[in-house]
Amino acid sequence: MPEQYAIEMRGITKTFGSVVANNNINLNLRQGEILSLLGENGSGKTTLMNMLSGIYAPDAGQILVDGKPVTISSPEDSKKLGIGMVHQHFKLVDVFSAADNIWMGREKSGFALKGDRYDEIEAMAKKFGFDLDPRKKVRNMSVSEKQTLEIIKVLYYGAKVIILDEPTAVLTVQEIDKLFAVLRRMKEEGHSIIIITHKLNEVMDISDRVAILRKGEYITTVNTAETNEQELTEWMVGRKIDLNIDRPVVEKTRPLLEIRDLTIKNDEGAVAIDKVNFYIRGGEILGVAGIAGCGQKELCEAIAGLRPIQSGLMIHKGDNIVGLPPKAILEKGISMSFIPEDRLGMGLAPSLSITDNMILKNYAAPKGPFVDRKSGREDAQRVIEELEVVTPSTETPVRRLSGGNVQKVLLGREIKAGPNVIVTAYPVRGLDINSSYAIYDILNQQKQDGVGILFVGEDLDVMLALCDKIMVLCHGRVMGVVHAHKTTKEELGLMMTGALDLTDKYEDKPAGIARDTNITEEQLKSAQEEGEN
Amino acid sequence: MEMDKLGVITTFIHNIVVYNIPLLYGTVGEIVVEKSGSLNLGVEGIMAVGAIFGYIVGCYTNSMLVGILTAFAMGALMGLLFAALTVSLQANQNITGLTLTTFGLGMYFFVGNAIKAVRWPIMSDYSSIKNGFADIAIPGLSQIPVVGKGLFSHNILVYLGIVIALCMWYYLNRTTPGLRLRAVGENPGSADSVGINVKRTKYLHICLGCGIMGIGGYYMGLNMSGSFSSACWINGYGWIAVALVIFANWNPIMAILGTFVFGFFNTLRVSGSSLAVAFPETLGWLAAVPTQLYQALPFIITAIVLVVTSVRKREGSGLPAALGLNYFREER
Amino acid sequence: MGFHIVKRDSCPLWKKALLYVIAVLAALVLGGVLLLAMGVDPLAYYSRMFTMGMVGNKIAYKAFENYLKVFVPLALTSVALSLAFKMRFWNIGGEGQFIMGSIAAATVALKLGPVLPSAITLILMCLAAMLAAGIYGAFVAVLKVKFGTNETLMTLMLNYVALYVLMFLGDRKADWNFFLQEQSARPVFQSFADLASFPKIMFGKFGLNICVILTFLVGTLVFVYLKYTKHGYEISVVGDSAGTAHYAGMKVNAIVLRTVFLSACLIGLAAAFKVGTAGVLSTAITDDVGWTGIIVAWLSQLNTAVIFVVSALISMLHYGSVAAAATFSKVDSSFANMLQGVILFLVFTAEFFIRFRVVRNKKGGKQ
């Protein structure tokens, strides 16, 4: 008789438009175990879990709970099946108290709201080992308090299967210990738990088994006791593949863009980038490696002038660009393109045509009141030909293009403007091999023209082959900058998970600070003073 | 002479209540709808539809209860239409609401004129309606000098309106379904994630709220003694209700208060001159105030409230955070 | 077993067009059923309505002139509103802006009309109306940009403030109130038709009001403005994604202010056309174009060319239903409002099928 799993997912496929987020995934969760779900950013973990929690409906495949096939078409169904999920982005009502956030989803909670619900929920929270002020409004809560509330909520609904999407990312070490103690107790009481996390030490610490996803595909599931961090990293990032990407050697210039002690907060108000130092020279590609949400997005936005910084310096050719409006930064020749997960979020107006998106950044240049669509159309035509964009015409709205073609349009526009610094995040996200190579060629061409490139990437093989140097971020901190031809995938993987810190590798030179810096003493001093204030 | 003067005050207070409680129906109904996250600009039209059907059916069956129920049902039907379009079909709420007003007023005149061409029911011919709409004095309270008769001797629909407002306040703030409703209006995504059926909640409360508006319309019709002319019975009250929701900060009890404030100005418009005659020395200036100022005041006050609350941001505001936004679960 | 809905990437044009046509036809059929139930022949009624009673009418040219009087303010207001809507700014305040424009135009006509040549008075009327309406609209945009005040509710409130200002002017006899006739004991709006009235170009008996030509001209300009100018480009980017506009270095707030001002200005112009044609104010001067215009702009998907077609049809509906009521006394002219509502509801339904696909949920048990 086959083993009866708490959850069994068979052949799950989910696509969003033309993006395949999950492809034929098989996953099973044993009764009373803690399963870690491991994978890089965009590997489809959250999408997969959202199909268990009823947010998404799968396109194909089958889900079994306790051996019985089920249809989960709403969160209500999911809850009834005893599945509870703690989402990474809090699903809380800001103006409600902690207790009411829990109470609103309680079954058979009676008609009248009574004052004793506060006591009941406080008592229950205590039972699970949490301190909770049931009357506190969510909007007055800190990030970790909100996270705690989310966890208590699911526990309260009495879920047998608990899914936690990166629960530890916002908790302190002590809180993590507490959480893990709770999880272990839940396990002893017979609950089955799936936990998504990137921290390998936590994976080793808490889980019984680990399931690994990569780029929307299921890789394997192993017993934690029979594996190690090295092996897991390898599965997560894949074996080294020789990609045959050119890395032309180019004469480097003095630093074009220098970042000093940069600290940035994310939308939730937590520190996203923590005292980061680095610089880019003309004629080099600096890769930025790191796992999901290590501050890559915030860094890119800050450089483009779209996000205020907390402290630090951003010096472009000797001029401080901190506080400049996006337009002024554009005019200095700094181009930023960021491909978010949905690929349409930033930098493109999805309902407008390719031509219109081409002229987005320089529409104001021609004299007179009219937009120069003629040259925009020529540019669009050129980008379509050179980058082999598949589109019915230059007038097709960008939202109708497939993902790869959208990216080509975006990057094509950025390069056409003739920037001296290119910041590009995930430019090959979701692209097929040929399109990816086309993009690498474009970047190399730019590098040879003396442009400095910051390449935020996901695929370590690509970064090893394409970049000159690679900076590794782990939770907003730089773990070191290494030469791409001297490092290995394993080393990068360990740095990404925080297991290896190479910031003090070179004793004679502080990491991320150029010897021939353009930054003047004056600029440093004024930045320091500002930091003190 | 003194008694007459006090009589003027009593009548004034009485009129504040009588002529403005329909506003309360519209407002409380709209609060219920908006708390579900739907901005419904069709109040005027919904009240009109409730009014015309409630009045005609009520008269022909010679039953006030049937009239009330019909008005409620027709209002709820209009709500159902709004819900189907905005909740299920994801249509724009502003446009749908405005169209509902046009459509509702169209239906009001169409049905009204059609009936008028055949036989218009005259209210005084129907004893149950006429008697049902008569004032009922609350024993004891109505004996209080001056204000007693003004506040505590009214027709059944006045009491019903107050009761509905109180019930809705209790429902919204002190019950679990009310809590769930507010969750849907604030953040449908989180409501959905804990297993609250967002669609059902929206449908139910849009219909309920619109039904309440319908009763308000019926009241307006009775207040006009059912005389059908070229001006609609609702006469802009639906729009004042939309304003009053903001003034009342989405709170049904504040809506009662707001009804009295707005109603005070509204009544000054009608009986300001009689006050001026009764108290020429102190209130004589009232006669000089243009009536249109009283009419515009609810909107001016609401505009100021809108600006003040937006300057102060959301602290303490009852504005549902997801108001006007359609919810689509798979949105990424 | 159930259904869930999925967003569509695209929908072919022919399918869109077909769905819209079906929606409008279905609305007419529904209206026809109602007519039948009342014992009226729907075909006869509709043909009367859509020819606006002009067939077999000796003064058909007069009817057409009057039809154009309905059409001009509606078309221009719809075009104006589409500017703001394109930017996702919910200007529900067309009524109020129209009224403010009317008052300003009437002021110019009454005060300057007697001293200036008619042509100059007319031009000044247009300018004054545009300025008054523009400021009235831009005021809300300032609040929106500065404090995030909800523009839907704010413009709504200001509609009524404007309406009561107009009613006050039409009601209060006083020395200062030059809007009213001096001779009349009752308050009656003073006519200024002989001081300032938009000229007509005569084609035989039919007089084509110059406003019609100007409306088409403005429509064309707005079309060009939206489609070919930098401003128009900015509007479409801001409307599509404010984040992207910010990223491209656009001054989003300034663009919002400018566009709302322009939108309200054009509504003011529509008001000047109306006032300069009617030759007198009235408390019903707007003829509800501020409301109907919203519906027209939305039905036309904010496309300037389509707006002209749709407002021509909606005007036909309204004007035609009045004409038809003369023949079919059973059918009240409010039938047009109902029909308009049903058309929009069904168009919304059609739009749903353009934007989404309904997918049948897969059964859990089967692969």
Side-chain angles (χ1 to χ4, degrees):
Chain A
M1 186 184 157
E3 183 179 354
Q4 203 195 65
Y5 292 106
I7 300 269
E8 201 176 347
M9 300 178 91
R10 290 184 192 158
I12 299 289
T13 297
K14 176 74 185 173
T15 54
F16 292 101
S18 52
V19 183
V20 183
N22 286 155
N23 186 16
N24 194 23
I25 291 192
N26 300 300
L27 186 87
N28 49 53
L29 176 68
R30 289 186 179 143
Q31 306 279 3
E33 76 161 346
I34 298 181
L35 175 77
S36 281
L37 188 56
L38 191 64
E40 285 189 292
N41 196 7
S43 57
K45 306 178 297 284
T46 303
T47 306
L48 186 67
M49 290 301 105
N50 272 337
M51 281 183 276
L52 283 182
S53 70
I55 303 280
Y56 298 150
D59 297 338
Q62 193 180 22
I63 298 172
L64 291 87
V65 174
D66 294 332
K68 282 185 276 299
V70 294
T71 307
I72 304 177
S73 55
S74 73
E76 208 178 345
D77 292 348
S78 168
K79 205 169 105 183
K80 280 193 185 128
L81 290 166
I83 302 171
M85 178 158 170
V86 175
H87 294 267
Q88 191 184 357
H89 297 288
F90 313 128
K91 300 254 183 197
L92 296 170
V93 179
D94 276 351
V95 295
F96 281 8
S97 66
D100 285 347
N101 262 287
I102 296 174
W103 203 259
M104 72 189 197
R106 188 178 185 263
E107 308 256 333
K108 299 196 184 81
S109 42
F111 184 73
L113 275 182
K114 295 201 186 90
D116 60 5
R117 68 186 187 279
Y118 295 110
D119 303 329
E120 185 183 331
I121 280 167
E122 192 176 16
M124 184 277 311
K126 208 156 260 155
K127 204 180 88 195
F128 293 126
F130 291 99
D131 276 329
L132 178 83
D133 176 359
R135 287 168 203 271
K136 192 166 184 177
K137 293 263 196 293
V138 169
R139 69 155 155 234
N140 299 326
M141 288 185 178
S142 70
V143 185
S144 74
E145 278 176 304
K146 288 181 193 172
Q147 179 74 77
T148 312
L149 175 58
E150 283 281 21
I151 293 169
I152 296 172
K153 191 165 84 178
V154 171
L155 294 176
Y156 186 82
Y157 295 154
K160 286 178 296 177
V161 173
I162 299 167
I163 305 162
L164 302 108
D165 191 355
E166 296 198 46
T168 61
V170 290
L171 299 183
T172 65
V173 180
Q174 291 81 2
E175 286 166 333
I176 291 173
D177 286 344
K178 252 187 188 171
L179 168 67
F180 281 7
V182 171
L183 293 186
R184 289 200 183 94
R185 196 164 67 237
M186 302 304 302
K187 182 179 127 181
E188 274 159 30
E189 286 167 14
H191 291 76
S192 318
I193 297 163
I194 301 178
I195 178 168
I196 300 179
T197 174
H198 299 301
K199 298 178 189 165
L200 286 177
N201 57 337
E202 289 174 359
V203 172
M204 301 304 291
D205 183 7
I206 188 77
S207 62
D208 300 306
R209 292 192 307 151
V210 190
I212 297 131
L213 300 187
R214 187 167 74 219
K215 291 176 187 159
E217 307 269 351
Y218 171 74
I219 304 300
T220 185
T221 305
V222 290
N223 290 325
T224 313
E226 293 160 18
T227 186
N228 55 45
E229 296 191 11
Q230 206 110 26
E231 196 181 37
L232 288 176
T233 308
E234 227 173 81
W235 268 317
M236 187 167 75
V237 297
R239 285 217 164 269
K240 180 165 165 49
I241 312 154
D242 199 8
L243 282 171
N244 239 337
I245 302 172
D246 283 340
R247 178 162 48 210
V249 180
V250 181
E251 181 97 11
K252 289 173 186 166
T253 66
R254 281 188 70 179
L256 284 173
L257 182 66
E258 295 175 78
I259 305 292
R260 283 289 171 87
D261 283 331
L262 188 66
T263 300
I264 314 167
K265 285 191 175 166
N266 65 14
D267 293 336
E268 270 90 36
V271 171
I273 284 287
D274 192 2
K275 297 209 179 78
V276 161
N277 287 310
F278 70 92
Y279 58 92
I280 313 168
R281 296 175 185 280
E284 74 170 359
I285 300 182
L286 173 66
V288 177
I291 310 174
C294 287
Q296 296 100 323
K297 178 165 172 260
E298 287 79 6
L299 178 64
C300 294
E301 286 178 353
I303 294 175
L306 297 170
R307 180 181 284 275
I309 66 164
Q310 297 308 116
S311 62
L313 278 175
M314 297 192 288
I315 305 292
H316 176 256
K317 291 183 170 175
D319 299 330
N320 196 355
I321 57 166
V322 171
L324 289 186
K327 192 162 192 150
I329 291 175
L330 271 179
E331 279 161 7
K332 285 188 170 290
I334 300 173
S335 132
M336 193 277 276
S337 55
F338 188 101
I339 312 286
E341 273 172 76
D342 62 3
R343 303 203 208 182
L344 281 173
M346 193 190 295
L348 290 172
S351 313
L352 303 193
S353 67
I354 300 178
T355 304
D356 278 7
N357 274 288
M358 275 295 144
I359 59 176
L360 184 70
K361 283 181 170 176
N362 60 353
Y363 74 95
K367 284 204 166 65
F370 293 103
V371 169
D372 181 8
R373 277 208 179 70
K374 196 161 158 274
S375 67
R377 201 162 292 129
E378 283 164 9
D379 285 336
Q381 199 58 53
R382 204 170 312 128
V383 168
I384 290 170
E385 276 163 25
E386 284 173 13
L387 305 187
E388 291 167 353
V389 178
V390 180
T391 169
S393 83
T394 56
E395 303 314 302
T396 308
V398 167
R399 83 158 85 244
R400 296 239 190 102
L401 303 183
S402 73
N405 292 308
V406 171
Q407 272 142 284
K408 287 178 185 173
V409 168
L410 181 56
L411 207 64
R413 180 187 73 205
E414 293 306 309
I415 285 156
K416 171 191 66 86
N420 52 55
V421 173
I422 294 178
V423 176
T424 180
Y426 316 115
V428 296
R429 184 173 256 172
L431 292 196
D432 59 46
I433 302 277
N434 286 329
S435 311
S436 302
Y437 274 83
I439 292 201
Y440 305 142
D441 288 343
I442 298 165
L443 291 175
N444 272 328
Q445 187 57 50
Q446 293 295 308
K447 172 177 151 185
Q448 279 165 311
D449 293 345
V451 176
I453 298 166
L454 187 74
F455 180 95
V456 182
E458 299 177 297
D459 190 330
L460 291 180
D461 288 310
V462 168
M463 296 179 77
L464 283 169
L466 178 73
C467 302
D468 296 284
K469 288 190 285 183
I470 299 171
M471 171 168 79
V472 182
L473 288 177
C474 179
H475 296 286
R477 301 190 74 109
V478 175
M479 301 308 289
V481 181
V482 292
H483 287 277
H485 59 278
K486 286 186 197 156
T487 187
T488 61
K489 218 169 157 178
E490 288 69 32
E491 190 177 62
L492 289 177
L494 290 173
M495 289 166 81
M496 278 160 66
T497 49
L500 181 66
D501 188 342
L502 293 181
T503 36
D504 298 324
K505 195 178 175 188
Y506 306 100
E507 279 162 13
D508 57 326
K509 173 179 165 286
I513 294 181
R515 289 199 178 87
D516 52 350
T517 178
N518 285 320
I519 301 180
T520 60
E521 286 298 320
E522 218 170 292
Q523 285 171 331
L524 276 178
K525 233 173 96 187
S526 70
Q528 235 160 26
E529 274 163 18
E530 224 163 88
E532 276 158 22
N533 285 341
Chain B
M1 190 64 199
E2 276 310 299
M3 277 316 289
D4 271 4
K5 284 186 178 181
L6 292 179
V8 169
I9 293 181
T10 306
T11 310
F12 186 78
I13 295 173
H14 194 260
N15 284 350
I16 290 181
V17 179
V18 171
Y19 289 109
N20 296 291
I21 288 294
L23 269 185
L24 183 63
Y25 280 96
T27 308
V28 170
E30 181 70 1
I31 288 175
V32 173
V33 175
E34 290 194 16
K35 276 289 174 190
S36 81
S38 297
L39 179 60
N40 167 24
L41 296 180
V43 188
E44 184 87 5
I46 293 165
M47 286 177 82
V49 169
I52 196 78
F53 283 102
Y55 180 75
I56 291 166
V57 176
C59 283
Y60 279 148
T61 55
N62 195 15
S63 158
M64 185 120 157
L65 183 66
V66 172
I68 293 173
L69 291 178
T70 308
F72 181 87
M74 289 313 290
L77 262 177
M78 291 286 276
L80 188 66
L81 186 58
F82 182 81
L85 286 163
T86 60
V87 179
S88 290
L89 300 183
Q90 305 271 321
N92 181 294
Q93 294 179 9
N94 292 339
I95 312 288
T96 307
L98 288 174
T99 312
L100 221 52
T101 291
T102 314
F103 177 72
L105 290 177
M107 198 189 279
Y108 169 89
F109 284 113
F110 189 80
V111 171
N113 282 322
I115 297 285
K116 203 173 179 181
V118 186
R119 189 175 73 88
W120 183 255
I122 295 161
M123 191 170 153
S124 49
D125 293 351
Y126 298 94
S127 55
S128 296
I129 305 285
K130 203 177 73 187
N131 299 335
F133 200 58
D135 287 355
I136 305 166
I138 298 179
L141 288 174
S142 58
Q143 307 303 316
I144 302 169
V146 187
V147 292
K149 269 218 113 133
L151 288 177
F152 302 108
S153 174
H154 285 291
N155 66 64
I156 186 91
L157 282 172
V158 170
Y159 301 127
L160 182 65
I162 302 277
V163 168
I164 288 179
L166 294 174
C167 285
M168 282 304 132
W169 179 86
Y170 177 79
Y171 178 75
L172 286 173
N173 296 295
R174 294 283 183 271
T175 72
T176 312
L179 181 75
R180 294 196 176 123
L181 169 64
R182 282 184 287 138
V184 168
E186 287 291 334
N187 187 342
S190 55
D192 196 5
S193 78
V194 298
I196 296 172
N197 189 329
V198 174
K199 268 193 185 175
R200 193 170 58 205
T201 307
K202 284 196 164 212
Y203 261 93
L204 218 60
H205 292 93
I206 290 172
C207 290
L208 173 66
C210 292
I212 295 173
M213 293 171 202
I215 303 178
Y218 179 48
Y219 183 172
M220 297 237 31
L222 296 183
N223 236 357
M224 311 296 269
S225 310
S227 67
F228 186 83
S229 68
S230 61
C232 177
W233 289 334
I234 311 304
N235 196 22
Y237 271 44
W239 293 112
I240 301 179
V242 173
L244 195 48
V245 170
I246 302 158
F247 181 80
N249 196 24
W250 289 267
N251 178 341
I253 288 190
M254 284 290 289
I256 300 178
L257 195 75
T259 301
F260 281 93
V261 174
F262 283 20
F264 174 74
F265 296 124
N266 209 2
T267 312
L268 270 184
R269 172 175 67 93
V270 184
S271 19
S273 49
S274 57
L275 279 181
V277 170
F279 304 95
E281 272 157 37
T282 44
L283 295 174
W285 54 274
L286 275 177
V289 179
T291 57
Q292 291 82 13
L293 181 63
Y294 297 127
Q295 288 172 294
L297 264 176
F299 299 104
I300 296 173
I301 295 171
T302 306
I304 293 169
V305 169
L306 257 179
V307 176
V308 169
T309 48
S310 63
V311 171
R312 283 197 354 222
K313 293 298 172 222
R314 274 186 48 74
E315 195 69 40
S317 162
L319 173 77
L323 185 62
L325 307 171
N326 287 339
Y327 178 62
F328 179 50
R329 186 188 285 155
E330 294 212 6
E331 197 83 66
R332 297 227 303 172
Chain C
M1 194 80 251
F3 297 91
H4 73 280
I5 53 176
V6 181
K7 264 200 178 145
R8 256 183 218 278
D9 277 352
S10 65
C11 180
L13 193 66
W14 65 266
K15 207 168 171 183
K16 266 193 208 173
L18 185 69
L19 279 167
Y20 284 132
V21 170
I22 291 175
V24 174
L25 286 180
L28 290 177
V29 169
L30 273 179
V33 170
L34 185 62
L35 290 172
L36 263 183
M38 299 184 70
V40 173
D41 176 9
L43 288 179
Y45 181 86
Y46 281 138
S47 65
R48 190 82 190 150
M49 181 159 162
F50 285 115
T51 53
M52 297 179 289
M54 283 193 286
V55 175
N57 187 337
K58 273 189 189 137
I59 47 163
Y61 64 90
K62 203 79 201 160
F64 195 64
E65 277 180 20
N66 288 335
Y67 164 71
L68 287 175
K69 278 185 197 166
V70 178
F71 166 76
V72 162
L74 180 62
L76 196 49
T77 305
S78 310
V79 166
L81 288 170
S82 73
L83 276 172
F85 290 169
K86 199 141 198 161
M87 214 175 47
R88 307 227 175 119
F89 184 97
W90 292 107
N91 183 10
I92 306 293
E95 286 281 301
Q97 290 146 22
F98 196 97
I99 290 171
M100 284 304 180
S102 306
I103 295 173
T107 308
V108 169
L110 289 165
K111 282 285 173 193
L112 301 178
V115 285
L116 291 176
S118 158
I120 295 180
T121 309
L122 285 170
I123 292 170
L124 287 177
M125 279 168 72
C126 291
L127 291 177
M130 287 168 79
L131 193 67
I135 290 171
Y136 205 59
F139 171 65
V140 181
V142 170
L143 293 172
K144 162 95 175 172
V145 164
K146 252 193 131 56
F147 307 118
T149 312
N150 183 320
E151 79 274 19
T152 312
L153 298 171
M154 195 68 194
T155 45
L156 189 62
M157 297 305 126
L158 291 187
N159 280 344
Y160 288 93
V161 176
L163 176 64
Y164 290 118
V165 168
L166 177 64
M167 284 171 69
F168 170 65
L169 294 177
D171 188 40
R172 170 121 329 189
K173 286 289 285 180
D175 288 343
W176 56 265
N177 195 346
F178 55 84
F179 291 97
L180 298 183
Q181 287 179 12
E182 274 175 45
Q183 320 80 284
S184 166
R186 283 192 313 114
V188 180
F189 275 119
Q190 171 74 44
S191 163
F192 41 82
D194 47 341
L195 297 174
S197 205
F198 283 101
K200 286 181 188 170
I201 302 166
M202 300 307 290
F203 295 93
K205 281 179 179 167
F206 172 72
L208 181 67
N209 197 309
I210 194 162
C211 292
V212 179
I213 299 166
L214 289 175
T215 300
F216 276 98
L217 187 69
V218 172
T220 314
L221 285 177
V222 169
F223 181 78
V224 171
Y225 179 78
L226 280 174
K227 217 170 159 126
Y228 297 110
T229 68
K230 290 176 184 172
H231 285 189
Y233 180 72
E234 285 169 342
I235 292 171
S236 47
V237 176
V238 170
D240 198 33
S241 161
T244 296
H246 185 53
Y247 163 88
M250 291 178 187
K251 295 195 177 78
V252 176
N253 286 351
I255 294 168
V256 170
L257 280 181
R258 184 185 70 206
T259 309
V260 175
F261 179 72
L262 190 65
S263 164
C265 270
L266 290 182
I267 293 174
L269 186 63
F273 285 177
K274 169 90 186 204
V275 169
T277 309
V280 65
L281 275 180
S282 110
T283 50
I285 190 82
T286 69
D287 208 7
D288 284 349
V289 289
W291 302 123
T292 317
I294 295 168
I295 292 169
V296 170
W298 201 253
L299 268 177
S300 319
Q301 310 236 305
L302 312 183
N303 180 316
T304 318
V306 180
I307 285 176
F308 275 84
V309 177
V310 173
S311 33
L313 288 173
I314 294 282
S315 306
M316 201 179 268
L317 212 62
H318 283 271
Y319 189 75
S321 68
V322 178
T327 321
F328 301 90
S329 57
K330 274 186 195 166
V331 187
D332 191 63
S333 65
S334 57
F335 182 70
N337 279 332
M338 269 168 66
L339 198 56
Q340 183 185 311
V342 175
I343 289 176
L344 201 86
F345 295 146
L346 288 170
V347 165
F348 275 148
T349 312
E351 237 157 52
F352 171 77
F353 289 104
I354 289 168
R355 280 161 59 207
F356 297 95
R357 259 175 331 125
V358 178
V359 180
R360 190 180 276 243
N361 283 346
K362 286 181 191 66
K363 256 236 151 83
K366 276 178 277 174
Q367 192 89 25

